[in-house]
Amino acid sequence: QVQLVQSGAEVKKPGASVKVSCKASGYTFTSYGISWVRQAPGQGLEWMGWISAYNGNTNYAQKLQGRVTMTTDTSTSTAYMELRSLRSDDTAVYYCARGGTVFNWFDPWGQGTLVTVSS
Amino acid sequence: EIVLTQSPGTLSLSPGERATLSCRASQSVSSSYLAWYQQKPGQAPRLLIYGASSRATGIPDRFSGSGSGTDFTLTISRLEPEDFAVYYCQQYGSSPVTFGGGTKVEIK
């Protein structure tokens, strides 16, 4: 079955960087894109951006431009999201989700990775 | 960007009742590119509906979606105990992709 498995929880200090992984299985990785969505504690869902696993094209949310980088490794069917210059309001659960193009619904989602930013 | 407003914020209903959730967009959603997700505590969201009215694989037929343009509705015909959760709408017709703030369906 189609599955996305994410890396484990992280605790980072303000100003640091975090890199979350998302390993795909059960489908042809390069036939789809991966979006990243985050959810602050008790809050709603925020789309962060999308990457094509076919050619590496990206589309980032404007508010994160310059701080976020999304990449893929097709040899291991894994997507990565790196967020730099972390602030306390970056504390959230980060999800990867499969999509087609950037204009697509998301299905399925990874289990989520909690990133805590605290001094 | 397209802002999605969901109402009500909380819906208090009993099992067996009908639930009607609204999602209104600040501008027309192109090609009815609207999806609905269910999220339970501690879990990732699950896709219910895409294209405004198409049920995702494995979703029971008590869930239905309708609407176009700026007004969309998710209807749960008869609430089952496992349906009490938070529901989000999402538009994916224009960048950036945006989500509504969610509707919590709680047991009355």
Side-chain angles (χ1 to χ4, degrees), chain B residues 40-77:
Chain B
K40 297 180 181 180
Q43 296 185 16
R46 177 175 73 142
L47 176 69
L48 298 175
I49 301 286
Y50 62 93
S53 61
S54 297
R55 266 188 306 276
T57 302
I59 301 303
D61 60 7
R62 64 180 181 273
F63 291 91
S64 63
S66 62
S68 64
T70 60
D71 288 298
F72 297 87
T73 300
L74 175 70
T75 301
I76 311 171
S77 58

PDB file of all heavy atoms in Angstrom, chain B residues 40-77:
ATOM      1  N   LYS B  40      -8.286  13.366  13.225  1.00  0.00           N
ATOM      2  CA  LYS B  40      -8.549  12.982  14.618  1.00  0.00           C
ATOM      3  C   LYS B  40      -7.332  13.314  15.461  1.00  0.00           C
ATOM      4  O   LYS B  40      -6.209  13.429  14.944  1.00  0.00           O
ATOM      5  CB  LYS B  40      -8.874  11.487  14.678  1.00  0.00           C
ATOM      6  CG  LYS B  40     -10.137  11.142  13.906  1.00  0.00           C
ATOM      7  CD  LYS B  40     -10.442   9.658  13.967  1.00  0.00           C
ATOM      8  CE  LYS B  40     -11.705   9.361  13.165  1.00  0.00           C
ATOM      9  NZ  LYS B  40     -12.042   7.909  13.183  1.00  0.00           N
ATOM     10  N   PRO B  41      -7.517  13.475  16.785  1.00  0.00           N
ATOM     11  CA  PRO B  41      -6.404  13.880  17.648  1.00  0.00           C
ATOM     12  C   PRO B  41      -5.197  12.962  17.514  1.00  0.00           C
ATOM     13  O   PRO B  41      -5.334  11.736  17.536  1.00  0.00           O
ATOM     14  CB  PRO B  41      -7.019  13.803  19.048  1.00  0.00           C
ATOM     15  CG  PRO B  41      -8.471  14.034  18.830  1.00  0.00           C
ATOM     16  CD  PRO B  41      -8.795  13.389  17.527  1.00  0.00           C
ATOM     17  N   GLY B  42      -4.023  13.566  17.341  1.00  0.00           N
ATOM     18  CA  GLY B  42      -2.784  12.808  17.254  1.00  0.00           C
ATOM     19  C   GLY B  42      -2.571  12.087  15.940  1.00  0.00           C
ATOM     20  O   GLY B  42      -1.611  11.306  15.815  1.00  0.00           O
ATOM     21  N   GLN B  43      -3.442  12.330  14.955  1.00  0.00           N
ATOM     22  CA  GLN B  43      -3.324  11.661  13.666  1.00  0.00           C
ATOM     23  C   GLN B  43      -3.127  12.680  12.544  1.00  0.00           C
ATOM     24  O   GLN B  43      -3.467  13.853  12.686  1.00  0.00           O
ATOM     25  CB  GLN B  43      -4.564  10.820  13.372  1.00  0.00           C
ATOM     26  CG  GLN B  43      -4.790   9.673  14.333  1.00  0.00           C
ATOM     27  CD  GLN B  43      -5.971   8.814  13.911  1.00  0.00           C
ATOM     28  OE1 GLN B  43      -6.449   8.865  12.772  1.00  0.00           O
ATOM     29  NE2 GLN B  43      -6.446   7.990  14.843  1.00  0.00           N
ATOM     30  N   ALA B  44      -2.609  12.178  11.431  1.00  0.00           N
ATOM     31  CA  ALA B  44      -2.499  13.009  10.240  1.00  0.00           C
ATOM     32  C   ALA B  44      -3.873  13.170   9.596  1.00  0.00           C
ATOM     33  O   ALA B  44      -4.767  12.333   9.788  1.00  0.00           O
ATOM     34  CB  ALA B  44      -1.541  12.354   9.247  1.00  0.00           C
ATOM     35  N   PRO B  45      -4.063  14.230   8.836  1.00  0.00           N
ATOM     36  CA  PRO B  45      -5.319  14.369   8.094  1.00  0.00           C
ATOM     37  C   PRO B  45      -5.511  13.210   7.112  1.00  0.00           C
ATOM     38  O   PRO B  45      -4.538  12.611   6.628  1.00  0.00           O
ATOM     39  CB  PRO B  45      -5.141  15.688   7.348  1.00  0.00           C
ATOM     40  CG  PRO B  45      -4.160  16.458   8.166  1.00  0.00           C
ATOM     41  CD  PRO B  45      -3.207  15.421   8.700  1.00  0.00           C
ATOM     42  N   ARG B  46      -6.779  12.914   6.834  1.00  0.00           N
ATOM     43  CA  ARG B  46      -7.133  11.867   5.869  1.00  0.00           C
ATOM     44  C   ARG B  46      -8.031  12.478   4.802  1.00  0.00           C
ATOM     45  O   ARG B  46      -9.016  13.165   5.130  1.00  0.00           O
ATOM     46  CB  ARG B  46      -7.862  10.724   6.581  1.00  0.00           C
ATOM     47  CG  ARG B  46      -8.348   9.610   5.635  1.00  0.00           C
ATOM     48  CD  ARG B  46      -8.952   8.454   6.381  1.00  0.00           C
ATOM     49  NE  ARG B  46     -10.264   8.732   6.938  1.00  0.00           N
ATOM     50  CZ  ARG B  46     -11.274   7.843   6.984  1.00  0.00           C
ATOM     51  NH1 ARG B  46     -11.122   6.659   6.452  1.00  0.00           N
ATOM     52  NH2 ARG B  46     -12.409   8.178   7.559  1.00  0.00           N
ATOM     53  N   LEU B  47      -7.711  12.208   3.546  1.00  0.00           N
ATOM     54  CA  LEU B  47      -8.511  12.738   2.442  1.00  0.00           C
ATOM     55  C   LEU B  47      -9.880  12.068   2.412  1.00  0.00           C
ATOM     56  O   LEU B  47      -9.992  10.842   2.432  1.00  0.00           O
ATOM     57  CB  LEU B  47      -7.792  12.490   1.112  1.00  0.00           C
ATOM     58  CG  LEU B  47      -8.552  12.905  -0.154  1.00  0.00           C
ATOM     59  CD1 LEU B  47      -8.652  14.429  -0.246  1.00  0.00           C
ATOM     60  CD2 LEU B  47      -7.861  12.332  -1.396  1.00  0.00           C
ATOM     61  N   LEU B  48     -10.932  12.898   2.338  1.00  0.00           N
ATOM     62  CA  LEU B  48     -12.302  12.399   2.210  1.00  0.00           C
ATOM     63  C   LEU B  48     -12.849  12.630   0.800  1.00  0.00           C
ATOM     64  O   LEU B  48     -13.405  11.736   0.173  1.00  0.00           O
ATOM     65  CB  LEU B  48     -13.220  13.116   3.192  1.00  0.00           C
ATOM     66  CG  LEU B  48     -12.950  12.984   4.680  1.00  0.00           C
ATOM     67  CD1 LEU B  48     -13.915  13.875   5.455  1.00  0.00           C
ATOM     68  CD2 LEU B  48     -13.056  11.538   5.141  1.00  0.00           C
ATOM     69  N   ILE B  49     -12.721  13.883   0.335  1.00  0.00           N
ATOM     70  CA  ILE B  49     -13.358  14.349  -0.889  1.00  0.00           C
ATOM     71  C   ILE B  49     -12.352  15.163  -1.688  1.00  0.00           C
ATOM     72  O   ILE B  49     -11.602  15.961  -1.106  1.00  0.00           O
ATOM     73  CB  ILE B  49     -14.574  15.257  -0.580  1.00  0.00           C
ATOM     74  CG1 ILE B  49     -15.627  14.530   0.255  1.00  0.00           C
ATOM     75  CG2 ILE B  49     -15.174  15.837  -1.857  1.00  0.00           C
ATOM     76  CD1 ILE B  49     -16.434  13.497  -0.493  1.00  0.00           C
ATOM     77  N   TYR B  50     -12.323  14.988  -3.009  1.00  0.00           N
ATOM     78  CA  TYR B  50     -11.531  15.842  -3.889  1.00  0.00           C
ATOM     79  C   TYR B  50     -12.404  16.264  -5.070  1.00  0.00           C
ATOM     80  O   TYR B  50     -13.457  15.650  -5.313  1.00  0.00           O
ATOM     81  CB  TYR B  50     -10.257  15.130  -4.368  1.00  0.00           C
ATOM     82  CG  TYR B  50     -10.515  13.891  -5.191  1.00  0.00           C
ATOM     83  CD1 TYR B  50     -10.588  13.952  -6.579  1.00  0.00           C
ATOM     84  CD2 TYR B  50     -10.713  12.656  -4.571  1.00  0.00           C
ATOM     85  CE1 TYR B  50     -10.841  12.823  -7.327  1.00  0.00           C
ATOM     86  CE2 TYR B  50     -10.973  11.519  -5.316  1.00  0.00           C
ATOM     87  CZ  TYR B  50     -11.036  11.610  -6.698  1.00  0.00           C
ATOM     88  OH  TYR B  50     -11.291  10.485  -7.439  1.00  0.00           O
ATOM     89  N   GLY B  51     -11.970  17.291  -5.767  1.00  0.00           N
ATOM     90  CA  GLY B  51     -12.785  17.782  -6.883  1.00  0.00           C
ATOM     91  C   GLY B  51     -14.177  18.199  -6.449  1.00  0.00           C
ATOM     92  O   GLY B  51     -15.124  18.096  -7.225  1.00  0.00           O
ATOM     93  N   ALA B  52     -14.288  18.643  -5.232  1.00  0.00           N
ATOM     94  CA  ALA B  52     -15.520  19.133  -4.602  1.00  0.00           C
ATOM     95  C   ALA B  52     -16.525  18.041  -4.260  1.00  0.00           C
ATOM     96  O   ALA B  52     -17.270  18.166  -3.280  1.00  0.00           O
ATOM     97  CB  ALA B  52     -16.202  20.208  -5.457  1.00  0.00           C
ATOM     98  N   SER B  53     -16.577  16.946  -5.054  1.00  0.00           N
ATOM     99  CA  SER B  53     -17.649  15.975  -4.843  1.00  0.00           C
ATOM    100  C   SER B  53     -17.250  14.512  -5.042  1.00  0.00           C
ATOM    101  O   SER B  53     -18.104  13.631  -4.907  1.00  0.00           O
ATOM    102  CB  SER B  53     -18.824  16.289  -5.780  1.00  0.00           C
ATOM    103  OG  SER B  53     -18.407  16.214  -7.130  1.00  0.00           O
ATOM    104  N   SER B  54     -15.990  14.252  -5.333  1.00  0.00           N
ATOM    105  CA  SER B  54     -15.561  12.872  -5.559  1.00  0.00           C
ATOM    106  C   SER B  54     -15.023  12.272  -4.261  1.00  0.00           C
ATOM    107  O   SER B  54     -14.116  12.840  -3.644  1.00  0.00           O
ATOM    108  CB  SER B  54     -14.470  12.813  -6.640  1.00  0.00           C
ATOM    109  OG  SER B  54     -14.964  13.257  -7.876  1.00  0.00           O
ATOM    110  N   ARG B  55     -15.580  11.126  -3.872  1.00  0.00           N
ATOM    111  CA  ARG B  55     -15.096  10.486  -2.654  1.00  0.00           C
ATOM    112  C   ARG B  55     -13.770   9.784  -2.904  1.00  0.00           C
ATOM    113  O   ARG B  55     -13.580   9.115  -3.932  1.00  0.00           O
ATOM    114  CB  ARG B  55     -16.113   9.451  -2.146  1.00  0.00           C
ATOM    115  CG  ARG B  55     -17.087   9.987  -1.113  1.00  0.00           C
ATOM    116  CD  ARG B  55     -17.924   8.856  -0.506  1.00  0.00           C
ATOM    117  NE  ARG B  55     -18.599   8.082  -1.535  1.00  0.00           N
ATOM    118  CZ  ARG B  55     -19.741   8.419  -2.083  1.00  0.00           C
ATOM    119  NH1 ARG B  55     -20.343   9.532  -1.694  1.00  0.00           N
ATOM    120  NH2 ARG B  55     -20.279   7.656  -3.009  1.00  0.00           N
ATOM    121  N   ALA B  56     -12.864   9.909  -1.935  1.00  0.00           N
ATOM    122  CA  ALA B  56     -11.585   9.210  -2.031  1.00  0.00           C
ATOM    123  C   ALA B  56     -11.797   7.715  -1.813  1.00  0.00           C
ATOM    124  O   ALA B  56     -12.837   7.278  -1.295  1.00  0.00           O
ATOM    125  CB  ALA B  56     -10.613   9.771  -0.992  1.00  0.00           C
ATOM    126  N   THR B  57     -10.801   6.945  -2.189  1.00  0.00           N
ATOM    127  CA  THR B  57     -10.873   5.491  -2.061  1.00  0.00           C
ATOM    128  C   THR B  57     -11.133   5.084  -0.617  1.00  0.00           C
ATOM    129  O   THR B  57     -10.454   5.550   0.312  1.00  0.00           O
ATOM    130  CB  THR B  57      -9.567   4.851  -2.543  1.00  0.00           C
ATOM    131  OG1 THR B  57      -9.331   5.240  -3.902  1.00  0.00           O
ATOM    132  CG2 THR B  57      -9.634   3.336  -2.460  1.00  0.00           C
ATOM    133  N   GLY B  58     -12.130   4.225  -0.419  1.00  0.00           N
ATOM    134  CA  GLY B  58     -12.401   3.688   0.901  1.00  0.00           C
ATOM    135  C   GLY B  58     -13.255   4.562   1.803  1.00  0.00           C
ATOM    136  O   GLY B  58     -13.525   4.181   2.954  1.00  0.00           O
ATOM    137  N   ILE B  59     -13.683   5.709   1.308  1.00  0.00           N
ATOM    138  CA  ILE B  59     -14.504   6.610   2.136  1.00  0.00           C
ATOM    139  C   ILE B  59     -15.976   6.196   2.034  1.00  0.00           C
ATOM    140  O   ILE B  59     -16.501   6.054   0.926  1.00  0.00           O
ATOM    141  CB  ILE B  59     -14.313   8.075   1.698  1.00  0.00           C
ATOM    142  CG1 ILE B  59     -12.843   8.480   1.821  1.00  0.00           C
ATOM    143  CG2 ILE B  59     -15.212   8.999   2.512  1.00  0.00           C
ATOM    144  CD1 ILE B  59     -12.253   8.314   3.206  1.00  0.00           C
ATOM    145  N   PRO B  60     -16.650   6.023   3.175  1.00  0.00           N
ATOM    146  CA  PRO B  60     -18.055   5.573   3.156  1.00  0.00           C
ATOM    147  C   PRO B  60     -18.958   6.573   2.451  1.00  0.00           C
ATOM    148  O   PRO B  60     -18.694   7.783   2.451  1.00  0.00           O
ATOM    149  CB  PRO B  60     -18.417   5.484   4.643  1.00  0.00           C
ATOM    150  CG  PRO B  60     -17.125   5.452   5.380  1.00  0.00           C
ATOM    151  CD  PRO B  60     -16.125   6.164   4.542  1.00  0.00           C
ATOM    152  N   ASP B  61     -20.061   6.057   1.891  1.00  0.00           N
ATOM    153  CA  ASP B  61     -20.927   6.929   1.101  1.00  0.00           C
ATOM    154  C   ASP B  61     -21.794   7.842   1.957  1.00  0.00           C
ATOM    155  O   ASP B  61     -22.573   8.639   1.414  1.00  0.00           O
ATOM    156  CB  ASP B  61     -21.773   6.129   0.111  1.00  0.00           C
ATOM    157  CG  ASP B  61     -22.682   5.127   0.791  1.00  0.00           C
ATOM    158  OD1 ASP B  61     -22.777   5.133   2.049  1.00  0.00           O
ATOM    159  OD2 ASP B  61     -23.304   4.313   0.081  1.00  0.00           O
ATOM    160  N   ARG B  62     -21.678   7.773   3.284  1.00  0.00           N
ATOM    161  CA  ARG B  62     -22.380   8.754   4.114  1.00  0.00           C
ATOM    162  C   ARG B  62     -21.708  10.129   4.029  1.00  0.00           C
ATOM    163  O   ARG B  62     -22.290  11.128   4.424  1.00  0.00           O
ATOM    164  CB  ARG B  62     -22.472   8.306   5.574  1.00  0.00           C
ATOM    165  CG  ARG B  62     -21.156   8.165   6.299  1.00  0.00           C
ATOM    166  CD  ARG B  62     -21.386   7.718   7.755  1.00  0.00           C
ATOM    167  NE  ARG B  62     -20.141   7.582   8.500  1.00  0.00           N
ATOM    168  CZ  ARG B  62     -19.414   6.478   8.520  1.00  0.00           C
ATOM    169  NH1 ARG B  62     -19.817   5.414   7.821  1.00  0.00           N
ATOM    170  NH2 ARG B  62     -18.292   6.425   9.228  1.00  0.00           N
ATOM    171  N   PHE B  63     -20.474  10.164   3.492  1.00  0.00           N
ATOM    172  CA  PHE B  63     -19.776  11.436   3.261  1.00  0.00           C
ATOM    173  C   PHE B  63     -20.046  11.892   1.824  1.00  0.00           C
ATOM    174  O   PHE B  63     -19.834  11.127   0.875  1.00  0.00           O
ATOM    175  CB  PHE B  63     -18.264  11.278   3.449  1.00  0.00           C
ATOM    176  CG  PHE B  63     -17.837  11.040   4.866  1.00  0.00           C
ATOM    177  CD1 PHE B  63     -17.713   9.751   5.362  1.00  0.00           C
ATOM    178  CD2 PHE B  63     -17.571  12.108   5.718  1.00  0.00           C
ATOM    179  CE1 PHE B  63     -17.325   9.520   6.674  1.00  0.00           C
ATOM    180  CE2 PHE B  63     -17.174  11.901   7.029  1.00  0.00           C
ATOM    181  CZ  PHE B  63     -17.056  10.598   7.517  1.00  0.00           C
ATOM    182  N   SER B  64     -20.488  13.136   1.675  1.00  0.00           N
ATOM    183  CA  SER B  64     -20.678  13.674   0.336  1.00  0.00           C
ATOM    184  C   SER B  64     -20.271  15.140   0.307  1.00  0.00           C
ATOM    185  O   SER B  64     -20.404  15.864   1.306  1.00  0.00           O
ATOM    186  CB  SER B  64     -22.134  13.518  -0.125  1.00  0.00           C
ATOM    187  OG  SER B  64     -22.993  14.249   0.708  1.00  0.00           O
ATOM    188  N   GLY B  65     -19.768  15.559  -0.856  1.00  0.00           N
ATOM    189  CA  GLY B  65     -19.365  16.941  -1.039  1.00  0.00           C
ATOM    190  C   GLY B  65     -20.120  17.560  -2.188  1.00  0.00           C
ATOM    191  O   GLY B  65     -20.488  16.876  -3.154  1.00  0.00           O
ATOM    192  N   SER B  66     -20.362  18.863  -2.078  1.00  0.00           N
ATOM    193  CA  SER B  66     -21.060  19.574  -3.140  1.00  0.00           C
ATOM    194  C   SER B  66     -20.575  21.015  -3.181  1.00  0.00           C
ATOM    195  O   SER B  66     -19.855  21.477  -2.289  1.00  0.00           O
ATOM    196  CB  SER B  66     -22.577  19.525  -2.916  1.00  0.00           C
ATOM    197  OG  SER B  66     -22.919  20.175  -1.702  1.00  0.00           O
ATOM    198  N   GLY B  67     -21.003  21.714  -4.237  1.00  0.00           N
ATOM    199  CA  GLY B  67     -20.692  23.131  -4.354  1.00  0.00           C
ATOM    200  C   GLY B  67     -19.801  23.448  -5.535  1.00  0.00           C
ATOM    201  O   GLY B  67     -19.250  22.556  -6.190  1.00  0.00           O
ATOM    202  N   SER B  68     -19.670  24.736  -5.782  1.00  0.00           N
ATOM    203  CA  SER B  68     -18.808  25.238  -6.849  1.00  0.00           C
ATOM    204  C   SER B  68     -18.599  26.723  -6.630  1.00  0.00           C
ATOM    205  O   SER B  68     -19.292  27.344  -5.807  1.00  0.00           O
ATOM    206  CB  SER B  68     -19.430  24.982  -8.225  1.00  0.00           C
ATOM    207  OG  SER B  68     -20.636  25.702  -8.349  1.00  0.00           O
ATOM    208  N   GLY B  69     -17.634  27.277  -7.376  1.00  0.00           N
ATOM    209  CA  GLY B  69     -17.383  28.711  -7.260  1.00  0.00           C
ATOM    210  C   GLY B  69     -16.779  29.074  -5.920  1.00  0.00           C
ATOM    211  O   GLY B  69     -15.614  28.795  -5.665  1.00  0.00           O
ATOM    212  N   THR B  70     -17.573  29.685  -5.060  1.00  0.00           N
ATOM    213  CA  THR B  70     -17.074  30.114  -3.755  1.00  0.00           C
ATOM    214  C   THR B  70     -17.736  29.405  -2.573  1.00  0.00           C
ATOM    215  O   THR B  70     -17.329  29.624  -1.433  1.00  0.00           O
ATOM    216  CB  THR B  70     -17.269  31.632  -3.569  1.00  0.00           C
ATOM    217  OG1 THR B  70     -18.672  31.934  -3.653  1.00  0.00           O
ATOM    218  CG2 THR B  70     -16.502  32.426  -4.619  1.00  0.00           C
ATOM    219  N   ASP B  71     -18.741  28.584  -2.809  1.00  0.00           N
ATOM    220  CA  ASP B  71     -19.476  27.945  -1.714  1.00  0.00           C
ATOM    221  C   ASP B  71     -19.489  26.431  -1.846  1.00  0.00           C
ATOM    222  O   ASP B  71     -19.957  25.893  -2.855  1.00  0.00           O
ATOM    223  CB  ASP B  71     -20.915  28.471  -1.672  1.00  0.00           C
ATOM    224  CG  ASP B  71     -20.983  29.898  -1.169  1.00  0.00           C
ATOM    225  OD1 ASP B  71     -20.581  30.124  -0.011  1.00  0.00           O
ATOM    226  OD2 ASP B  71     -21.426  30.768  -1.930  1.00  0.00           O
ATOM    227  N   PHE B  72     -18.972  25.778  -0.812  1.00  0.00           N
ATOM    228  CA  PHE B  72     -18.843  24.328  -0.822  1.00  0.00           C
ATOM    229  C   PHE B  72     -19.372  23.767   0.494  1.00  0.00           C
ATOM    230  O   PHE B  72     -19.348  24.442   1.533  1.00  0.00           O
ATOM    231  CB  PHE B  72     -17.371  23.932  -1.000  1.00  0.00           C
ATOM    232  CG  PHE B  72     -16.791  24.393  -2.316  1.00  0.00           C
ATOM    233  CD1 PHE B  72     -16.235  25.658  -2.426  1.00  0.00           C
ATOM    234  CD2 PHE B  72     -16.844  23.585  -3.439  1.00  0.00           C
ATOM    235  CE1 PHE B  72     -15.727  26.106  -3.641  1.00  0.00           C
ATOM    236  CE2 PHE B  72     -16.332  24.020  -4.656  1.00  0.00           C
ATOM    237  CZ  PHE B  72     -15.770  25.282  -4.756  1.00  0.00           C
ATOM    238  N   THR B  73     -19.854  22.515   0.422  1.00  0.00           N
ATOM    239  CA  THR B  73     -20.468  21.872   1.579  1.00  0.00           C
ATOM    240  C   THR B  73     -19.995  20.429   1.686  1.00  0.00           C
ATOM    241  O   THR B  73     -19.902  19.727   0.674  1.00  0.00           O
ATOM    242  CB  THR B  73     -22.003  21.895   1.470  1.00  0.00           C
ATOM    243  OG1 THR B  73     -22.445  23.253   1.391  1.00  0.00           O
ATOM    244  CG2 THR B  73     -22.640  21.223   2.678  1.00  0.00           C
ATOM    245  N   LEU B  74     -19.681  20.020   2.917  1.00  0.00           N
ATOM    246  CA  LEU B  74     -19.456  18.611   3.228  1.00  0.00           C
ATOM    247  C   LEU B  74     -20.636  18.158   4.076  1.00  0.00           C
ATOM    248  O   LEU B  74     -20.945  18.791   5.095  1.00  0.00           O
ATOM    249  CB  LEU B  74     -18.152  18.419   3.995  1.00  0.00           C
ATOM    250  CG  LEU B  74     -17.878  16.988   4.484  1.00  0.00           C
ATOM    251  CD1 LEU B  74     -17.571  16.063   3.304  1.00  0.00           C
ATOM    252  CD2 LEU B  74     -16.725  16.958   5.494  1.00  0.00           C
ATOM    253  N   THR B  75     -21.276  17.072   3.670  1.00  0.00           N
ATOM    254  CA  THR B  75     -22.409  16.527   4.407  1.00  0.00           C
ATOM    255  C   THR B  75     -22.080  15.121   4.867  1.00  0.00           C
ATOM    256  O   THR B  75     -21.558  14.308   4.088  1.00  0.00           O
ATOM    257  CB  THR B  75     -23.673  16.498   3.527  1.00  0.00           C
ATOM    258  OG1 THR B  75     -23.978  17.828   3.089  1.00  0.00           O
ATOM    259  CG2 THR B  75     -24.856  15.944   4.312  1.00  0.00           C
ATOM    260  N   ILE B  76     -22.345  14.865   6.144  1.00  0.00           N
ATOM    261  CA  ILE B  76     -22.258  13.508   6.691  1.00  0.00           C
ATOM    262  C   ILE B  76     -23.690  13.112   6.993  1.00  0.00           C
ATOM    263  O   ILE B  76     -24.326  13.694   7.879  1.00  0.00           O
ATOM    264  CB  ILE B  76     -21.376  13.447   7.946  1.00  0.00           C
ATOM    265  CG1 ILE B  76     -20.035  14.156   7.697  1.00  0.00           C
ATOM    266  CG2 ILE B  76     -21.144  11.987   8.355  1.00  0.00           C
ATOM    267  CD1 ILE B  76     -19.189  14.340   8.953  1.00  0.00           C
ATOM    268  N   SER B  77     -24.218  12.135   6.279  1.00  0.00           N
ATOM    269  CA  SER B  77     -25.665  11.887   6.314  1.00  0.00           C
ATOM    270  C   SER B  77     -26.136  11.375   7.679  1.00  0.00           C
ATOM    271  O   SER B  77     -27.174  11.801   8.185  1.00  0.00           O
ATOM    272  CB  SER B  77     -26.058  10.900   5.219  1.00  0.00           C
ATOM    273  OG  SER B  77     -25.350   9.677   5.376  1.00  0.00           O
TER     274      SER B  77
END
